[in-house]
Amino acid sequence: MVLGHEAEEAQVGKTLPDAWDYKGKPAVRSTTGGWGSAAMILGVEACERLTTLGIAVNLVTYLTGTMHLGNANAANDVTNFMGTSFMLCLLGGFVADTFLGRYLTIAIFTAIQATGVTILTISTAIPSLQPPKCSKPGSSDCVPANHLQLAILYMALYLTALGTGGLKSSVSGFGSDQFDESNKQEKAQMTTFFNWFFFFISIGSLAAVTLLVYIQDNLGRRWGYGIVACCIGLGLLIFLSGTPRYRFKKLVGSPLTQIASVFVAAWRKRHLELPSDPCLLFDTSIGATTSSSSHLKQKLPHSKQFRFLDKAAINNTEKSGEILKVNKWYLSTSTDVEEVKMVITMLPIWATNIMFWTIYAQMTTFSVSQATTMDRHIGKSFFIPPASLTVFFVGSILLTVPVYDRVIVPVAKRFLRHPQGLSPLQRIGVGLVMSTFAMVAAALIEIKRLHMAQSHGLVDDPSKVIPLSVFWLVPQFFFVGSGEAFTYIGQLDFFLRECPAGMKTMSTGLFLSTLSLGFFFSSLLVTIVHKVTGDKEPWLADNLNKGKLYNFYWLLTVLSVLNMGLYLIAARWYVYREHRLARELQGIDDQLEEE
């Protein structure tokens, strides 16, 4: 019996209490998870980044040059594609947390993405799925793509976007599931995993904006997209081959459901009076459980903000002292309510981050269109593809990160006395300022480009190259890239740190939704500007040499400055979670002392 008990304890030490293998048995530490599993997950993420960016970064030239759409429509198609990809991450996260789990979500949505890219490849290989070629760009004989051709193109793009959303929402979380946070060694490996995760994203991005764009422009779209389709298919096979080694976690439910249930419960009891003592509000501490959560949460002190939501935790049942299972759509715990309140306080910061990604969207649309009209030669023989200018964007990110760590952080620690150098909100603010500088640079460079076109008599012929080096566009790419290094990491740090412990999956969704809404807001602005300026003196003309793109950049500059003012107000008003909790606890202590 003693030997049997010791053997049982040894077996428990070898297995994980909160993870299972693909057969549904407790996961064995030595044969599941770890770097062997994580490497296969990193592979599918690299393929996803190569696929999405490889399509998006050069899509505007395909829409204008091959499908013969106008610059404004092409720009909107690109930003709508990217915006949908990121917005669908919310759907993917909901499906993964509530129904399928992360593994099945990744597998199914990767297959959907591969299907979308395959259809896109076929559409570029069959001549009847494209309009006839023009005699020269911008000429009157250019026939735009018909409804059938556009329908097949959009079906391919949005299937790809759907796959991207589902895959991207779960891949980082499933990767972290392969490491046990309670184990010191595996917890250190998890930190390394996220570093490699960012590295693989960068590798996929670099391959997309250099090698893949070059293949698309020189060998043909069918070859470029065909390679992408093969890559994502290979990534899916590698991912599936790791199934016996993966660790799986139980579904915990979506935080979106928690937020919705708190609002519904509060609305249902809107006519009830709040108790004078917050301790009378319903919470798990009284011994009841709710159907909305199967795991324990850290009890949070009551806050005075958004008191209407407290009504969701009013327990007006007769059996309030007994153990019972309650309907989450009628009664929420006080802790659930406080977590929702925390998310609401983050929304002003969330909303003012959208403008950065609106400016970011211009780097894959109008900046690429500008590059197509400029001199892109290096030496006598090498010709830079327009979309490959994004390499300066990626390069500025890779340059800014070490400069920040080695130079800015030590200086900021000394003068600002912050352990991280700059706080997350300060980092976001720096990124917003840099994005404003990017639009100022873009407007000034566009004025110079138009001046060169006029002085050389090239206004009416967009097919002719303006004798102005494409490297004049580098400043706007540099400012946005450096700004992303500050804003992206600052946003990620902010949402991960400030989201309540019970709603951690919400942090990725909030972050990615700012990207999505930034792209959609860009589409809205382009549509409004194109409609208001009309056809006589359009800002966003099909022939950029006859347009006033610089006015659109000035408009973005003004909006960015206004947004920066709102952000400063929101950042000044916001109190970090740890400080807010400390204040609430201090208030409770002071009240107890008075009593």
Side-chain angles (χ1 to χ4, degrees):
M1 291 294 292
V2 174
L3 290 175
H5 182 67
E6 290 178 351
E8 184 179 347
E9 287 186 346
Q11 180 63 28
V12 170
K14 292 179 181 178
T15 59
L16 296 162
D18 62 342
W20 288 261
D21 62 17
Y22 73 108
K23 294 181 179 179
K25 298 180 180 179
V28 179
R29 188 184 301 277
S30 60
T31 59
T32 62
W35 274 113
S37 303
M40 298 177 184
I41 299 170
L42 289 173
V44 77
E45 172 57 22
C47 291
E48 179 278 320
R49 187 82 315 232
L50 177 69
T51 299
T52 306
L53 197 59
I55 293 172
V57 75
N58 205 21
L59 183 59
V60 72
T61 60
Y62 179 72
L63 294 175
T64 55
T66 302
M67 305 303 281
H68 306 153
L69 302 183
N71 279 315
N73 290 332
N76 278 354
D77 284 341
V78 175
T79 51
N80 287 338
F81 166 68
M82 291 296 288
T84 303
S85 297
F86 290 115
M87 184 59 74
L88 287 172
C89 289
L90 291 173
L91 172 64
F94 178 79
V95 169
D97 289 340
T98 310
F99 301 108
L100 298 180
R102 289 166 178 164
Y103 169 81
L104 280 178
T105 301
I106 294 172
I108 292 172
F109 282 88
T110 302
I112 292 174
Q113 187 182 49
T115 302
V117 180
T118 301
I119 296 174
L120 182 62
T121 304
I122 294 172
S123 73
T124 60
I126 300 177
S128 61
L129 295 180
Q130 303 161 30
K133 294 183 178 180
C134 306
S135 58
K136 64 178 182 178
S139 62
S140 58
D141 68 334
C142 287
V143 179
N146 60 39
H147 294 300
L148 175 62
Q149 292 164 343
L150 288 177
I152 293 176
L153 174 65
Y154 292 149
M155 178 177 66
L157 290 177
Y158 287 102
L159 275 175
T160 304
L162 176 61
T164 300
L167 168 59
K168 202 169 188 65
S169 66
S170 298
V171 68
S172 61
F174 191 57
S176 65
D177 287 345
Q178 307 311 306
F179 303 95
D180 179 17
E181 288 191 73
S182 64
N183 181 278
K184 185 176 181 181
Q185 181 181 358
E186 290 197 20
K187 186 175 182 179
Q189 290 176 341
M190 184 190 294
T191 303
T192 307
F193 166 77
F194 282 113
N195 292 337
W196 280 102
F197 185 79
F198 184 76
F199 175 78
F200 270 76
I201 289 177
S202 300
I203 291 296
S205 299
L206 278 173
V209 303
T210 53
L211 181 62
L212 195 58
V213 167
Y214 183 84
I215 292 173
Q216 290 172 4
D217 284 0
N218 291 275
L219 298 182
R221 298 280 173 161
R222 63 184 183 276
W223 288 103
Y225 295 149
I227 290 172
V228 167
C230 292
C231 279
I232 196 65
L234 179 62
L236 176 59
L237 291 177
I238 293 173
F239 175 77
L240 293 176
S241 69
T243 302
R245 287 193 54 86
Y246 293 142
R247 294 173 183 171
F248 301 85
K249 301 289 182 74
K250 284 188 176 180
L251 301 179
V252 296
S254 172
L256 293 176
T257 304
Q258 177 183 330
I259 293 174
S261 64
V262 167
F263 273 93
V264 170
W267 177 255
R268 283 181 168 181
K269 289 178 281 189
R270 61 190 180 277
H271 300 301
L272 299 180
E273 292 291 331
L274 284 170
S276 57
D277 187 354
C279 293
L280 298 176
L281 294 172
F282 177 74
D283 210 344
T284 53
S285 59
I286 65 173
T289 61
T290 68
S291 59
S292 63
S293 178
S294 60
H295 60 285
L296 295 176
K297 296 183 178 183
Q298 177 187 5
K299 182 174 173 59
L300 299 174
H302 179 264
S303 63
K304 298 178 181 179
Q305 294 174 307
F306 312 109
R307 296 199 64 198
F308 168 77
L309 295 178
D310 288 338
K311 294 188 176 185
I314 297 177
N315 187 5
N316 58 343
T317 62
E318 296 180 358
K319 299 180 179 181
S320 59
E322 299 181 9
I323 296 178
L324 65 153
K325 193 170 185 178
V326 299
N327 182 354
K328 64 184 178 182
W329 298 99
Y330 189 81
L331 178 61
S332 301
T333 68
S334 178
T335 296
D336 283 343
V337 172
E338 290 304 319
E339 287 184 343
V340 173
K341 286 183 181 181
M342 284 185 173
V343 173
I344 294 175
T345 60
M346 297 167 65
L347 292 182
I349 301 296
W350 168 84
T352 48
N353 278 205
I354 293 172
M355 192 64 207
F356 177 87
W357 301 108
T358 299
I359 291 174
Y360 174 98
Q362 312 315 313
M363 299 301 104
T364 57
T365 54
F366 290 117
S367 292
V368 175
S369 296
Q370 285 176 288
T372 60
T373 69
M374 301 170 73
D375 182 10
R376 291 177 276 122
H377 283 95
I378 295 181
K380 294 183 179 180
S381 56
F382 190 74
F383 199 64
I384 304 174
S388 286
L389 279 181
T390 315
V391 73
F392 296 106
F393 173 79
V394 178
S396 63
I397 296 175
L398 298 177
L399 176 64
T400 302
V401 171
V403 169
Y404 175 80
D405 287 336
R406 300 294 181 181
V407 179
I408 298 177
V409 168
V411 174
K413 281 183 177 180
R414 181 177 179 182
F415 291 100
L416 299 179
R417 301 185 183 281
H418 192 279
Q420 292 178 288
L422 296 178
S423 68
L425 292 180
Q426 288 170 335
R427 293 191 73 164
I428 294 172
V430 172
L432 292 176
V433 171
M434 285 190 166
S435 68
T436 305
F437 288 159
M439 289 298 94
V440 172
L444 295 176
I445 292 164
E446 174 61 8
I447 291 172
K448 182 176 180 64
R449 192 192 67 82
L450 287 178
H451 176 73
M452 291 292 290
Q454 292 168 358
S455 62
H456 288 80
L458 301 175
V459 172
D460 296 322
D461 192 353
S463 63
K464 295 288 183 65
V465 176
I466 297 173
L468 181 66
S469 173
V470 76
F471 291 107
W472 279 93
L473 297 177
V474 169
Q476 60 205 64
F477 283 96
F478 173 80
F479 278 123
V480 174
S482 297
E484 186 188 2
F486 282 92
T487 300
Y488 188 102
I489 299 174
Q491 274 187 288
L492 198 57
D493 188 8
F494 174 77
F495 288 119
L496 283 172
R497 177 192 298 188
E498 297 303 301
C499 253
M503 305 177 70
K504 282 299 181 185
T505 53
M506 174 65 69
S507 60
T508 302
L510 281 173
F511 169 55
L512 293 175
S513 65
T514 61
L515 277 74
S516 173
L517 293 173
F519 282 106
F520 284 137
F521 185 54
S522 175
S523 297
L524 177 63
L525 278 179
V526 168
T527 301
I528 294 173
V529 167
H530 195 54
K531 191 174 185 64
V532 170
T533 58
D535 297 325
K536 293 184 179 180
E537 295 185 359
W539 288 8
L540 308 173
D542 294 341
N543 177 359
L544 281 185
N545 296 339
K546 289 186 174 182
K548 297 180 179 179
L549 180 58
Y550 58 89
N551 278 340
F552 183 66
Y553 286 146
W554 286 130
L555 173 63
L556 288 173
T557 302
V558 172
L559 292 176
S560 184
V561 170
L562 294 175
N563 180 76
M564 187 66 197
L566 294 174
Y567 174 78
L568 291 175
I569 295 173
R572 187 175 181 84
W573 172 78
Y574 187 82
V575 179
Y576 283 105
R577 179 187 173 194
E578 57 184 15
H579 297 155
R580 184 166 60 250
L581 292 178
R583 287 183 184 178
E584 297 291 345
L585 292 173
Q586 182 63 42
I588 294 174
D589 292 340
D590 292 343
Q591 184 178 359
L592 291 174
E593 288 179 4
E594 290 177 1
E595 293 176 354

